[in-house]
Every structure is written in C-alpha cells, then in structure tokens.
Amino acid sequence: MSTVVARRQGLTGNDAVALAWRQINPDVVAAYPITPSTQVVERFARYLADGEATTEFVPTESEHSAISACVGASAAGARVMTATSSQGLALMHEVLYIASGLRLPIVMAVATRALSAPLNIHGDHSDVMGSRDAGWVQLYAGTVQEAYDLSILAVRVAERARVPVMVCLDGFTLSHSLEPVLVYADDAVRAFVGEARTSGYRLLDGEGAGPLTVGPLALPDAYMDFRRALANAMGRALEVIAGETAAFNAHFGRDLPVHLEASGLEEADGALLLLGSTADVVREALAGRSSASGRIGVVRLLTFRPFPAEAVRQALSHVARVVVMDRADSLSTLGGPLGIEVRAALYGQAFPPAVTDVIYGLGGRELRARDLERLRALFQEEPVPGPVYLGVEDG
C-alpha cells in the first residue's frame, strides 16, 4: 500500500479525471470544451504544457470532430480519451455508434448535464441516458474519488472488453466539488493500465501494416452478425468489469464496489435505487431509519450499461418496495430509463418487489426536506404505473 498511495489531495471531479489522464498518459486526447466538463481538458492541457505528459492533443472545432478524431486514432491502435457534456455528447451521437461498432476501446469522461430546450447548464442524467443504447459501457461515479478510480479502471475495461467506456460524473455536483482524494503513485497507475491493448487494428506498431479498410459496407448477409457480436461483447463486459474491479482493488488496496453498492438492506423493508452522487444525500437522510414505512436501504448502481440485472435482483430479493430515483425522463410515460430497466430486470421473479419510479433533480433541481419526506411517504402508498415527478406541484 505504501508504494501505491502517493498522497491525499483535495481535487474537484474534473481535476481528478485530468490527473488520472496525466498519470495514464494516453497516446491521443481529442476534445472540444463544453460546460461542465471543460476543466478536464483545460487541466490536462496544462499538464501537457508543463511537460508532464506526452499525449498528442487534438483541439477540434466541435464535439462531432472530437469523437471522429478519437475513432481514427483508436482505429490506428492508439490509446485514446475525450471528455464532454450535454449537447456536446448529443452532437457526438452519430459517431458513438461507429466507435462501438468498430469495437474501439475509447474512454470518455462525461460531466453529466441537462439537455436543451430550455437551455440549462446544470446537472442531471439526460445526456448520458440519451446515449445508453449506443453500445458504450457506462460507469457512474458517486464521489470524486470514484471519478478518479473509474477513470483508471475504464482503460482496462475498455481494452479487455473491446468496447468504448463512458465514465459519468454528476455535472457540478462532482465535476466542480472539492473532495479529499487518495491519489496513487504515477508508477502504480501506469503499472496497472500497462501497455495499450487497443484493438485488432495495428497500424502504429508496424505489425500487419499495409492496406486496411476500417468500417466497410456490410449488407444484410453480414450486418446482423456484427451487431450480435457487439451484443455478446457487452454481455461479457459485465464479467470484465467485475474482474478488472477486483484487480484494481488488489493493486491499489481499495474497496471499489462491483456493479453496485448496497447499504442498509439488512432487515430493510424497502429500498431506494439510484445512480450517482445523490446516494450519499438519501443514505444520510433515510437509510436504516425506522418509520411508519419500515426501514429503507439504498442501492447505488456504478454500472448501468451493460445493465447488471442479476446483481439488482439479488440486492432487492428481500424487500417488498423499491423506489427508483431517475435523474432523466424517457418521456415514454412509463417512467425514467433506470426505472424501466429495473422493472424489466425484476419481471418474471416469483415475488418481485413493487416498484415506484421517481423523476427528480432535472436541470440541477435540488432535493429539499419536503422531497425527502415525499420519498418516505411513497413507501406507504400504492405503487402507481407512471412516474412521480418529485418537487413538481402536480407530481
């Protein structure tokens, strides 16, 4: 442990991601700044200017160009990273599918943010949920420490599962909040990520160099086979994440949860299930406390794509009620993306818990004391088929 941990340091989420990138020293970073992820690239550019990394930095004229440059560099065999938020991720949408379809292990930090209109720069999960079916692994940090840890872990997950990975940190709540972070020694980080195991394309090292076509036309006789192969890779990614998390914990002496973190579920009658940094708030306010609705535990997912259905089923196997807290709305009238996934995972169980889906915190709206009271009350009410909008008068 003493040779791995260098120091404890106060860092914002964006600073922590940039520091992880500096320690990893990827071959290429291509990016276009957008709030609230701008500081990731700013801090990393400063490291480059100070000679602390040797990465090829490609400042682009748009987010679409940034992810396109990442695809090209990764296809050539480079270890590649980028960062974005909100409309920037939306502008990347077309190319996200190309990155995953080509099985390119790109790592992207997303400081999550609301989507327009109306214009809002504050944090929710609307941007990343809009990309949930693009074939990228999605890992969600609950703290600045996890934003740092997951940025390092994501490299090994992406290169071993051969799929791209998003590391999601709540916009402003984590991206701009200062927290104490256990920072590892540079050598320990570089020993963990090792040499790049990028893809089947090997243009940079000269092996197999020669004429090469990447992403050619696939007609109906072949296209579906490629998509099935990608689906299989995403299925295997759950095992890869579990294995690499275990390796991460062994290497750095950490206790990073695998797929989800459950707390207060022992003897609990109900559970709140959610993603991201809000877990600490509700855990402090609700978890383990006895009330008319019984004891309430908290389940926080770190992995959303691929969805860890079996882990969710096991975590919720002993509770009668689940309130899912969604920080995005699917606008399907069926609830938020997380609530729909949880219901699907529990479907067919012999005695599934009743699920209520709550939409909260859109555009950075904070949880107030009366919202926490409303959450508690939901455990006593009959579940409703559609979502409950927390903090809205007719919710």
Side-chain angles (χ1 to χ4, degrees), residues 265 268-269 313-320:
L265 282 183
D269 303 291
R313 285 193 286 266
Q314 290 182 11
L316 302 179
S317 60
H318 300 297
V319 299

Side-chain angles (χ1 to χ4, degrees), residues 70-72 74-75 98-100 102-106 162-164 198-199 201:
C70 289
V71 165
S74 184
I98 295 172
S100 61
L102 294 176
R103 308 285 301 279
L104 300 175
I106 299 166
R162 289 193 57 196
V163 288
T198 52
S199 69
Y201 312 120

Side-chain angles (χ1 to χ4, degrees), residues 96-130:
L96 296 180
Y97 288 83
I98 295 172
S100 61
L102 294 176
R103 308 285 301 279
L104 300 175
I106 299 166
V107 173
M108 181 193 304
V110 183
T112 64
R113 188 188 121 181
L115 289 168
S116 297
L119 176 63
N120 181 293
I121 64 166
H122 294 282
D124 67 26
H125 294 157
S126 300
D127 51 0
V128 277
M129 287 301 165

